[in-house]
Amino acid sequence: MNATPSAMSFFKSLMCRVFGHKYQVSKSYKTEQQEYQCLHCQREFTTDDNGEIQPLTPKLKRINEVMEKFYIIKQERQAA
């Protein structure tokens, strides 16, 4: 008997609830911010200002991108 995709996603989500997420770095910024993705449930996470892992929202993703741009501009100014 084959499991349906929704049953598999439920099982993987249940595994994360019971055993915790298994994080893998999906994107690393020069500002030492990192974005993670759970290998089981495919949810995305990021580190906040305190270094704690938080669910990645569009707002946090945009903040990470803007901070990266500011960091690059700052490095270019210091090099010149």
Side-chain angles (χ1 to χ4, degrees), residues 6-74:
S6 62
M8 290 299 291
S9 66
F10 173 75
F11 177 70
K12 289 180 179 182
S13 175
L14 182 63
M15 282 182 51
C16 289
R17 289 184 198 154
V18 174
F19 300 111
H21 295 285
K22 185 171 183 179
Y23 301 113
Q24 179 180 17
V25 175
S26 61
K27 188 168 185 180
S28 183
Y29 294 99
K30 293 180 182 177
T31 57
E32 299 180 9
Q33 288 291 102
Q34 292 183 332
E35 292 179 3
Y36 305 94
Q37 186 173 20
C38 177
L39 294 176
H40 297 294
C41 66
Q42 306 303 315
R43 289 183 59 199
E44 293 182 317
F45 301 89
T46 189
T47 51
D48 64 3
D49 295 336
N50 298 325
E52 297 176 8
I53 295 179
Q54 299 291 325
L56 183 65
T57 62
K59 181 179 179 180
L60 288 174
K61 186 170 188 74
R62 182 70 178 141
I63 289 171
N64 288 347
E65 292 169 355
V66 169
M67 292 298 290
E68 178 76 1
K69 288 179 184 178
F70 284 144
Y71 180 81
I72 291 170
I73 291 169
K74 181 180 175 184

